[in-house]
Amino acid sequence: MNFIDIAKVEVISGKGGAGHISFRREKFVPKGGPDGGNGGKGGDVIFKADPHLNTLLDFRFKRIIKADAGQVGMKYNKTGRDAEDLIIKVPTGTIIKDTETDEILADLSKTGQEAVIAKGGRGGRGNAEFTSSINRAPRHAEPGEPAIEMHVTLELKLLADVGLVGFPNAGKSTLISVLSAAKPKIADYPFTTLVPNLGVVRIADEQSFTIADIPGLIEGAHEGKGLGMQFLRHVERTRVLVFLIDAASENVVADYNVLKNELHQYNTNLDDKKRMILLTKADTIDDEKRELLKDVDFKEPDAQIMVISSVTGEAIEELKWSIWKKIQISRALEQEAV
């Protein structure tokens, strides 16, 4: 399945049905009073978060979303039927913005959450509504309220507990395949991962966390270089950031600082997230390199630093439980803040 995380669509609510103009015409009442009914309400356009969706691909082919109009009023004071609301399902984690102003209209971050983006027009009143002691035979009715038309941008931000951040070919896809049941494409060349991969890591019965493998960053990513900002948004909702640095790199600290700076330049709020630093591919380094890594100072006193190998399984079990502990702390803090 193709992964699409941005889409632009035109949204049109249903217009209200017009009020009706009519008069009773009965056999023995040739000049009966007004009996034009009111028009029905137009349909709302409602977006709903659906956990079974994980891409905005459908909106590549569905550029216009239009609700039905309300039914016009009828004789005998019959009100026109209200149009059904149009419910559009989107992946959980979708943000809806006004394309022209960039204003956030809704942030559907919870499963089942709904947002009315374009409200249907109210139905117009029929001529029976305008009867008065002065005007007993009104010959006018209201049109229904017009539809609301607007262009919106749908922006998907993955919902994951953990975001894996690293240069291309740092071992993110291999790690997520080892920790979870996800089966991302893995090869020994840059930009193997062209879309985010989500995996579920089982800790125990009914205990698990989600982990997102974000396509590799390069220096200048926040300016759009490489895969650029196309995927940086997906780390914004994570609770824990896990930085992956190739242990065989000549300067692991410099590599980490580049990644750290890219996230800071993109969104300074990312500075506050809990983080871990993983020196990956430990199976490719010798004992001398291992000793040198013990003295490396990333100047991150609160970040846990580990040397791992997804190939041999070195420290993988310890890593899983360390991540779980950080997630539990983060969730507890979120509950306190509520």
Side-chain angles (χ1 to χ4, degrees):
M1 178 182 291
N2 292 327
F3 181 84
I4 302 296
D5 58 359
I6 286 187
K8 294 185 177 182
V9 294
E10 182 180 5
V11 172
I12 306 172
S13 67
K15 67 179 182 179
H20 188 64
I21 300 174
S22 64
F23 296 88
R24 293 200 310 275
R25 291 292 181 265
E26 300 171 20
K27 186 174 182 180
F28 300 107
V29 189
K31 293 184 179 181
D35 69 349
N38 301 334
K41 176 184 172 298
D44 298 341
V45 176
I46 301 172
F47 285 80
K48 182 176 182 177
D50 187 330
H52 300 106
L53 300 177
N54 55 20
T55 177
L56 297 173
L57 177 64
D58 289 349
F59 297 96
R60 267 199 168 181
F61 313 103
K62 190 175 185 177
R63 297 289 190 175
I64 299 177
I65 297 170
K66 185 177 182 180
D68 291 334
Q71 188 179 31
V72 298
M74 295 168 283
K75 286 177 63 68
Y76 309 119
N77 288 309
K78 289 185 178 179
T79 299
R81 185 177 63 251
D82 291 343
E84 289 189 11
D85 294 332
L86 180 59
I87 298 178
I88 304 297
K89 295 181 179 180
V90 294
T92 302
T94 299
I95 291 175
I96 304 169
K97 295 181 179 179
D98 184 315
T99 302
E100 294 183 7
T101 65
D102 210 35
E103 175 191 359
I104 295 178
L105 304 175
D107 184 352
L108 303 180
S109 59
K110 297 179 180 178
T111 295
Q113 188 176 352
E114 295 183 355
V116 178
I117 298 301
K119 198 164 184 59
R122 182 178 58 82
R125 291 179 292 175
N127 68 330
E129 292 278 357
F130 295 96
T131 305
S132 67
S133 58
I134 299 174
N135 186 0
R136 295 184 176 279
R139 296 183 175 276
H140 68 279
E142 287 179 334
E145 284 184 344
I148 293 175
E149 301 183 24
M150 62 192 308
H151 289 85
V152 300
T153 300
L154 309 179
E155 184 177 293
L156 173 59
K157 293 183 181 180
L158 292 180
L159 294 171
D161 294 303
V162 181
L164 302 183
V165 180
F167 290 125
N169 203 27
K172 299 185 302 299
S173 296
T174 306
L175 179 60
I176 198 173
S177 69
V178 170
L179 287 174
S180 74
K183 301 188 183 305
K185 181 180 178 182
I186 300 171
D188 192 22
Y189 54 85
F191 294 119
T192 301
T193 303
L194 299 177
V195 300
N197 293 301
L198 269 181
V200 177
V201 181
R202 301 290 178 188
I203 294 294
D205 290 342
E206 299 183 2
Q207 289 187 319
S208 63
F209 62 85
T210 52
I211 187 167
D213 162 23
I214 309 301
L217 300 182
I218 64 172
E219 190 166 8
H222 71 279
E223 297 173 338
K225 294 181 181 178
L227 295 177
M229 290 189 293
Q230 185 177 358
F231 299 117
L232 271 169
R233 72 176 65 88
H234 295 300
V235 300
E236 291 187 73
R237 296 190 193 271
T238 56
R239 291 185 169 96
V240 180
L241 294 176
V242 177
F243 292 81
L244 279 68
I245 310 291
D246 190 336
S249 169
E250 293 183 2
N251 194 331
V252 293
V253 174
D255 289 350
Y256 170 70
N257 287 335
V258 169
L259 295 170
K260 178 182 176 181
N261 182 61
E262 287 307 314
L263 268 59
H264 174 81
Q265 294 293 331
Y266 175 71
N267 186 340
T268 56
N269 290 333
L270 296 175
D271 297 345
D272 300 326
K273 290 187 180 294
K274 294 186 179 300
R275 57 186 60 198
M276 299 181 69
I277 300 173
L278 305 184
L279 299 172
T280 65
K281 303 184 180 180
D283 54 290
T284 66
I285 61 174
D286 56 25
D287 292 340
E288 182 180 357
K289 180 68 172 179
R290 280 179 178 269
E291 286 300 315
L292 290 173
L293 291 176
K294 290 180 181 179
D295 297 325
V296 171
D297 183 7
F298 289 95
K299 292 183 169 52
E300 291 284 3
D302 296 327
Q304 185 176 1
I305 301 167
M306 298 179 64
V307 178
I308 70 163
S309 170
S310 299
V311 174
T312 66
E314 179 182 344
I316 294 300
E317 193 66 18
E318 179 188 349
L319 169 63
K320 183 165 69 174
W321 286 99
S322 293
I323 292 175
W324 176 244
K325 183 177 180 181
K326 289 183 181 298
I327 291 171
Q328 293 293 83
I329 293 172
S330 181
R331 288 176 178 173
L333 292 173
E334 289 172 9
Q335 289 296 321
E336 290 177 9
V338 174

